[in-house]
Amino acid sequence: MRTRSHLAMSALGVIARYEQWLPVTAATPRITLGEGATPCVPSRVIGERLGLGSLHFKYEGLNPTGSFKDRGMVVAVAKAIEAGAQAVICASTGNTSASAAAYAARFGLRAGVVIPSGGIASSKLLQAQVHGATVLAIPGGFDTALRLVREVCDRSPVTLVNSVNPFRIEGQKTAAFEIVDDLGDAPDVLAIPVGNAGNITAYWRGFREYHVAGRSTLLPRMIGGQADGAAPLVRGAPVAEPATVASAIRIGNPASWESAVAARDESEGLIDSVSDADILDAQSRLARLEGVFCEPASATSLAVLEKSVASGAVAPGAHVVCVLTGHGLKDPLAAATRVDPPQEVAADVAAVTAALGLG
Ligand code: AN7
């Protein structure tokens, strides 16, 4: 059950809750849509099966627009307002655009989003549209879209709110603070999906800052997960045409490449890749065994954790937090490939009883 203080935390939002850790000034508006204060859900089944000391899911799908992007977006938009901006722009595989559109709508900015044509999940596209963003679909993938919006920002008075905007990373690091605040210390291992690599950068920064300040006794090993068909950081070279069912992380040339590698190496962690089948299996297991529905990209964190336990890279007994970055309802078509259609039955008690196996 959510406690009163828990509710108060999400009502505060991440800027007001963590202002002393953020680059905010007296002039920065304390805006919020209620982001952050997401639960660390203890695993009921999977952690024990893997032989872990503990496993928690940081359920970021419960943010206002259904993904972790809201943590960074609220800070980026607050700083944009502080600087007098009237418009924001981003490239996106879907969640950044949904978040930018919502915060822009709420706080009176125009939003432009550039997406790969046909390349983002249906609910994410709808979110950008419903919040009134100008949605532009281009031929090519996310990497092309990001290059394009960076050039637009060099020429025109519009604020870029991709994670190359440093305020995005600053806001996103609050998720690491929350994990330590909720669990009492940092975990041994943090498993996290990696696309444009802003989030692994942000968590590592957050854990380090809390550790330096004496809020935690340890630093987690960062275990990053990419999809086999979109694994530039595993290969060590950009991927020209990234391909995976996990459209959120269909990224071939991550903007935060160096800081992701630094997070991996400084934490003595690893970044590995998993197949689309493993990703969808992990998504399904989370839904069926734990009651937690996340999108495919998010399930990459569990899939890479399972692979790491199997290889011995993560030891039995380890205390692990798995970051579930976005809600499963974001991408209904992907999840629908792994479920049975409803059984058509007659509208009578006997038929329903028999179909339920209660007869
Ligand atoms: C659910 O929305 O890049 O490694 O444009 O939506 O920080 O990029 C989304 C990325 C993981 C990867 N999980 O995080 C975008 C975008 C989900 C995501 C990632 C994304 P980064």
Side-chain angles (χ1 to χ4, degrees):
M1 206 182 92
R2 289 193 154 201
T3 60
R4 283 175 68 91
S5 67
H6 197 104
L7 287 173
M9 289 302 182
S10 63
L12 275 179
V14 299
I15 296 180
R17 183 175 179 190
Y18 289 111
E19 60 185 355
Q20 84 231 52
W21 303 88
L22 294 171
V24 295
T25 68
T28 312
R30 267 47 174 182
I31 59 172
T32 183
L33 266 174
E35 66 289 327
T38 58
C40 252
V41 181
S43 169
R44 199 182 64 86
V45 176
I46 296 173
E48 200 175 305
R49 282 193 190 171
L50 290 174
L52 297 173
S54 67
L55 176 62
H56 288 82
F57 304 109
K58 182 64 172 162
Y59 195 13
E60 288 288 278
L62 297 189
N63 277 294
T65 77
S67 87
F68 73 98
K69 302 287 183 181
D70 296 338
R71 295 178 183 277
M73 196 58 65
V74 71
V75 179
V77 166
K79 296 303 284 187
I81 293 169
E82 183 181 349
Q86 293 182 348
V88 295
I89 192 172
C90 64
S92 186
T93 59
N95 281 325
T96 298
S97 55
S99 186
Y103 281 81
R106 173 84 186 182
F107 301 108
L109 301 173
R110 283 184 294 124
V113 309
V114 180
I115 57 169
S117 184
I120 77 169
S122 56
S123 301
K124 302 175 188 178
L125 173 58
L126 183 66
Q127 285 181 285
Q129 292 169 315
V130 83
H131 288 303
T134 302
V135 181
L136 307 176
I138 58 146
F142 170 83
D143 304 287
T144 305
L146 182 57
R147 211 177 321 122
L148 202 59
V149 297
R150 291 177 94 152
E151 283 180 36
V152 170
C153 287
D154 288 343
R155 282 155 216 237
S156 302
V158 56
T159 303
L160 185 62
V161 292
N162 281 104
S163 58
V164 291
N165 177 328
F167 300 125
R168 279 275 315 277
I169 307 285
E170 287 293 308
Q172 283 172 212
K173 77 186 178 188
T174 61
F177 297 163
E178 287 179 12
I179 289 171
V180 176
D181 288 342
D182 285 354
L183 301 184
D185 205 341
D188 300 316
V189 171
L190 186 93
I192 183 170
V194 180
N196 211 27
N199 213 26
I200 191 171
T201 301
Y203 271 86
W204 182 234
R205 184 182 300 173
F207 283 122
R208 275 181 307 156
E209 288 184 5
Y210 249 31
H211 187 249
V212 166
R215 300 274 182 123
S216 64
T217 66
L218 34 100
L219 284 168
R221 295 175 63 215
M222 306 293 284
I223 307 275
Q226 301 205 288
D228 284 343
L233 292 165
V234 181
R235 292 196 195 180
V239 174
E241 297 202 350
T244 168
V245 67
S247 57
I249 53 172
R250 199 180 286 147
I251 294 174
N253 192 9
S256 296
W257 187 300
E258 283 83 17
S259 52
V261 168
R264 178 194 69 192
D265 295 345
E266 289 168 24
S267 75
E268 296 169 25
L270 61 90
I271 301 177
D272 201 353
S273 70
V274 289
S275 70
D276 279 4
D278 288 343
I279 291 170
L280 292 174
D281 285 349
Q283 182 191 30
S284 175
R285 269 196 302 283
L286 281 162
R288 286 169 174 260
L289 300 177
E290 306 282 4
V292 175
F293 187 24
C294 68
E295 65 173 284
S298 309
T300 304
S301 62
L302 177 61
V304 77
L305 172 65
E306 290 172 330
K307 187 174 177 184
S308 303
V309 169
S311 73
V314 169
H319 297 283
V320 181
V321 172
C322 202
V323 183
L324 303 181
T325 45
H327 203 286
L329 292 173
K330 289 278 193 173
D331 193 354
L333 293 179
T337 61
R338 292 294 175 105
V339 298
D340 297 326
Q343 286 176 51
E344 301 288 341
V345 298
D348 69 56
V349 172
V352 171
T353 306
L356 291 172
L358 300 173

